[in-house]
Amino acid sequence: MAQKPLRLLACGDVEGKFDILFNRVRAIQKKSGNFDLLLCVGNFFGSTPDAEWEEYKTGIKKASIQTYVLGANNQETVKYFQDADGCELAENITYLGRKGIFTGSSGLQIVYLSGTESLNEPVRGYNFSPKDVSSLRTMLCTTSQFKGVDILLTSPWPKYVGNFGNSSGEVDTKKCGSALVSSLAMGLKPRYHFAALEKTYYERLPYRNHVVLQENAQHATRFIALASVGNPEKKKYLYAFSIVPMKLMDAAELVKQPLDVTENPYRKSGQEASIGKQIPAPVEESACQFFFDLNEKQGRKRSSTGRDSKSSPHPKQPRKPPQPPGPCWFCLASPEVEKHLVVNIGTHCYLALAKGGLSDDHVLILPIGHYQSVVELSAEVVEEVEKYKATLRRFFKSRGKRCVVFERNYKSHHLQLQIAQPGAAYFYVELDTGEKLFHRIKKNFPLQFGREVLASEAILNIPGKSDWRQCQISKEDEETLARRFRKDFEPYDFTLDD
């Protein structure tokens, strides 16, 4: 029997507006049913008079849900948190403590860190230090069984969280937030990370916790920053979600990657900064960048072809590619991808050897996200497609070969630009001499027309290879071809820095 998910609420800065918060929770529960917990990050107490709090503290009023809160972020509110290890503040309202791990009866694991960052020792009652972060990591990350935690609660945002992701609005994540929190999130790999203090709502695109093709797949992390309770701009301050504890989940289900998953914002060239030091700002790259080297050399950094995010104070959030109707063999994040065929990865696109190729260097140009045809691509993706085509033409010319590019947008779910040796017109064909041929398909068009023409006696004279299924080779042989292509292509690889 499947585990029933827990229904949780997370809240941003309450700042003493207890009635507004708990009345809102009552309304939500009346409409949507009961929730199990409310988790509050940011400033629970504010600068308002204590009259409202006294009613909760003395039992005149009662929180409408079991509520867990973080500690003080300033000197003014330290007085409310007398026990550093946590304590009950009022009925149904519990202070978690300065730092620690809360494990519920269901197995849900919540890691919490109260206060704001300080690099000076000893820290004040409303700060955390590098030692606090280090001790949390030591508690969890030193066991071989550790895979991550369900939820991480901090008041400050993690620094650099906006890197590779959607716009964080007016909050500059290269300047705001805590580098120690970034380091903690990097190590703990929470499935959800909640923060506040910046007076705004920001739900970042989920990011991966592994390096593609170099590490086993792991779950993605979702970072959500919440606004202040009762803010006049009506920015979101309550976030409802359902979660099954990680320990109870099927491993395959846990590591499924969302289609809009991005690179880890805290990772720099695959290495994490030392704990206790400010994390160096990662190189600015776009949301779909991948940090790993297919040439089996360490320390190489991939360059970005994305547009400069500084050109607008409010850069437009990237459009999410449409979701495939079923399993897709070409979305790079999909478990169906035969990753051993991948030979090069850029910012928005990648190269892969064709399955059952017409030749040993028959490759596909594919967008990393899910797009059906060229006309759906954004300007950045089109730019990189063109760069790949030009580079491949130079590559083949240097080897005394010619190439042709063709696309079949007919009964296809994922765009595939195929690069092979000379061919003829398809519905869209580019010859290496510059000619472009286009044929509008109406109906009953042969699905393998382009391949059949290329394989014909008039072109390559390999008619037996017109059906890719008859050309498949062993995985070991495919891996050998892929290694050979990567090595040969390296001098032309524009994705690597000079």
Side-chain angles (χ1 to χ4, degrees):
M1 182 176 178
Q3 171 70 26
K4 184 179 179 181
L6 297 168
R7 303 180 73 227
L8 307 183
L9 289 169
C11 177
D13 303 276
V14 180
E15 295 184 332
K17 298 175 182 177
F18 309 113
D19 287 346
I20 294 176
L21 170 62
F22 293 121
N23 287 340
R24 177 64 179 149
V25 170
R26 286 189 188 93
I28 291 173
Q29 296 201 120
K30 184 176 181 181
K31 181 179 180 180
S32 305
N34 288 334
F35 284 78
D36 297 288
L37 296 175
L38 168 63
L39 306 172
C40 295
V41 293
N43 295 315
F44 189 67
F45 296 96
S47 57
T48 55
D50 287 345
E52 194 172 309
W53 172 242
E54 284 298 319
E55 291 183 310
Y56 287 87
K57 187 177 180 180
T58 58
I60 296 174
K61 291 181 179 178
K62 179 182 174 180
S64 50
I65 186 173
Q66 183 61 54
T67 303
Y68 291 93
V69 309
L70 294 183
N73 297 297
N74 52 61
Q75 184 62 54
E76 185 180 4
T77 56
V78 170
K79 61 183 180 182
Y80 296 103
F81 306 97
Q82 298 297 319
D83 189 341
D85 294 326
C87 59
E88 186 178 84
L89 301 178
E91 187 174 359
N92 273 358
I93 302 176
T94 301
Y95 164 46
L96 286 167
R98 287 192 66 246
K99 66 179 187 294
I101 306 161
F102 172 84
T103 303
S105 58
S106 62
L108 186 76
Q109 197 169 50
I110 301 171
V111 175
Y112 54 90
L113 179 65
S114 294
T116 57
E117 176 182 307
S118 174
L119 300 179
N120 300 316
E121 294 282 0
V123 295
R124 292 165 291 192
Y126 53 90
N127 293 135
F128 59 81
S129 69
K131 287 184 179 179
D132 292 319
V133 173
S134 181
S135 67
L136 275 175
R137 291 177 51 133
T138 301
M139 274 190 252
L140 289 158
C141 303
T142 53
T143 64
S144 59
Q145 271 46 8
F146 179 74
K147 296 180 179 179
V149 299
D150 291 303
I151 299 170
L152 172 61
L153 303 179
T154 64
S155 289
W157 289 29
K159 204 169 188 179
Y160 312 122
V161 70
N163 285 343
F164 321 131
N166 48 318
S167 170
S168 52
E170 297 178 359
V171 178
D172 185 348
T173 60
K174 295 172 187 62
K175 297 178 180 178
C176 298
S178 164
L180 289 177
V181 170
S182 303
S183 180
L184 184 63
M186 180 79 172
L188 297 188
K189 304 173 186 176
R191 293 164 65 198
Y192 284 87
H193 180 183
F194 294 98
L197 297 184
E198 299 296 340
K199 312 299 182 187
T200 193
Y201 169 71
Y202 171 51
E203 182 169 1
R204 192 202 183 279
L205 292 173
Y207 64 83
R208 63 177 61 83
N209 285 293
H210 63 279
V211 180
V212 181
L213 299 184
Q214 288 191 1
E215 299 174 341
N216 292 332
Q218 298 182 49
H219 58 273
T221 293
R222 299 177 186 274
F223 172 76
I224 298 104
L226 295 161
S228 303
V229 170
N231 66 88
E233 298 86 5
K234 299 188 182 301
K235 295 178 181 179
K236 189 170 183 176
Y237 64 85
L238 265 180
Y239 185 91
F241 64 109
S242 297
I243 185 171
V244 173
M246 181 185 298
K247 294 179 179 179
L248 303 179
M249 287 189 68
D250 175 74
E253 185 69 23
L254 177 64
V255 302
K256 279 187 177 179
Q257 300 294 295
L259 290 174
D260 53 353
V261 70
T262 78
E263 179 57 73
N264 191 309
Y266 318 122
R267 191 185 301 278
K268 183 180 181 183
S269 299
Q271 294 181 350
E272 181 189 359
S274 299
I275 188 68
K277 298 179 181 179
Q278 294 289 330
I279 298 177
V283 179
E284 265 194 87
E285 307 197 34
S286 76
C288 291
Q289 181 67 352
F290 288 78
F291 282 92
F292 60 90
D293 188 358
L294 289 169
N295 297 284
E296 300 177 357
K297 294 181 180 179
Q298 300 301 315
R300 303 289 294 277
K301 174 170 64 67
R302 300 191 177 277
S303 61
S304 171
T305 57
R307 292 180 294 186
D308 187 356
S309 62
K310 295 180 181 178
S311 60
S312 168
H314 304 289
K316 187 175 181 181
Q317 294 189 6
R319 180 183 66 178
K320 295 181 182 180
Q323 296 198 9
C328 180
W329 296 97
F330 302 106
C331 287
L332 193 56
S334 169
E336 285 82 16
V337 170
E338 295 196 52
K339 292 185 171 62
H340 65 284
L341 294 173
V342 176
V343 293
N344 187 263
I345 295 182
T347 305
H348 306 285
C349 306
Y350 71 100
L351 291 183
L353 289 182
K355 188 81 171 174
L358 285 167
S359 62
D360 289 351
D361 46 18
H362 181 175
V363 293
L364 311 178
I365 301 176
L366 303 121
I368 290 172
H370 185 83
Y371 298 92
Q372 186 175 0
S373 67
V374 167
V375 295
E376 294 182 356
L377 299 180
S378 64
E380 295 94 336
V381 184
V382 170
E383 181 181 354
E384 191 163 280
V385 167
E386 293 301 319
K387 187 173 286 189
Y388 262 123
K389 288 193 291 187
T391 302
L392 285 164
R393 289 190 188 101
R394 291 196 304 272
F395 168 69
F396 284 119
K397 185 177 180 179
S398 72
R399 301 172 69 80
K401 297 181 179 181
R402 299 179 61 195
C403 66
V404 62
V405 180
F406 68 93
E407 177 194 3
R408 185 195 75 222
N409 181 27
Y410 178 65
K411 295 188 177 180
S412 299
H413 294 309
H414 193 110
L415 164 64
Q416 309 158 48
L417 280 181
Q418 310 206 28
I419 315 292
Q421 294 179 18
Y426 191 42
F427 62 92
Y428 179 76
V429 178
E430 290 183 29
L431 302 179
D432 57 7
T433 52
E435 293 93 338
K436 297 180 181 180
L437 307 173
F438 178 81
H439 172 70
R440 175 166 240 152
I441 296 175
K442 294 183 179 179
K443 61 178 180 178
N444 300 325
F445 192 89
L447 291 181
Q448 299 299 327
F449 175 76
R451 186 182 176 105
E452 290 169 1
V453 171
L454 288 170
S456 69
E457 294 180 2
I459 309 296
L460 294 176
N461 194 24
I462 46 173
K465 290 192 173 184
S466 59
D467 186 345
W468 71 271
R469 288 165 294 193
Q470 304 302 317
C471 304
Q472 293 187 77
I473 57 178
S474 68
K475 183 177 180 181
E476 290 75 14
D477 288 341
E478 288 177 337
E479 290 173 339
T480 299
L481 289 179
R483 283 195 296 271
R484 185 184 306 159
F485 188 95
R486 292 180 198 127
K487 181 179 179 181
D488 293 342
F489 188 69
E490 181 177 4
Y492 302 86
D493 186 359
F494 67 88
T495 68
L496 297 177
D497 285 347
D498 295 332

